[in-house]
Amino acid sequence: MSDTIFSKIINREIEADIVHEDDHCLAFRDVNPQAPLHVLVIPKKPIDKLVNAADSDQALLGHLMLVARRVARDQGYGDAFRLVMNNGEAVGQSVFHLHLHVLGGRAFEWPPG
């Protein structure tokens, strides 16, 4: 996988407003927020998109979901938030480093998009 803006954030080559970090992932505020809460949760392991994750990444992928929950609660959004993961350019993925969008603090439409 080539260098992405997210790998540069992980390597501290680019600054970000980090709200969570552990051995496996990083969570930071989106620079173009689409809701009052808009945090990206990214694995430190370079995975470009979900379809290319290995079966051995199961624990990591679950960890990202639990971190998203923690971030929403820590940021004051309790149990009301939306998780979005785009998989591929055709559905809106613009950075090819797997990431979860944690969104909250406003009403959302259904279906999305």
Side-chain angles (χ1 to χ4, degrees):
M1 189 170 83
S2 64
D3 271 353
T4 66
I5 191 168
F6 293 169
S7 63
K8 291 178 181 179
I9 290 170
I10 292 167
N11 294 327
R12 302 303 200 268
E13 298 169 27
I14 296 175
E15 287 187 30
D17 186 0
I18 297 169
V19 298
H20 174 87
E21 182 172 16
D22 61 37
D23 291 342
H24 306 290
C25 71
L26 193 68
F28 54 92
R29 295 185 196 288
D30 194 296
V31 296
N32 186 24
Q34 302 301 304
L37 171 66
H38 192 169
V39 170
L40 303 176
V41 180
I42 66 172
K44 290 183 175 178
K45 177 181 179 180
I47 304 169
D48 63 345
K49 51 189 179 177
L50 185 60
V51 296
N52 293 328
D55 289 347
S56 61
D57 293 321
Q58 181 177 352
L60 174 61
L61 297 173
H63 180 72
L64 298 177
M65 300 279 285
L66 295 176
V67 167
R69 177 192 65 185
R70 182 178 309 132
V71 165
R73 288 182 179 168
D74 289 351
Q75 297 298 308
Y77 293 89
D79 295 335
F81 58 92
R82 177 175 282 181
L83 296 180
V84 175
M85 179 184 290
N86 298 314
N87 188 81
E89 188 174 356
V91 295
Q93 185 177 4
S94 59
V95 178
F96 287 87
H97 186 121
L98 185 142
H99 56 286
L100 280 173
H101 296 261
V102 185
L103 300 150
R106 70 169 176 83
F108 292 98
E109 300 290 324
W110 192 261

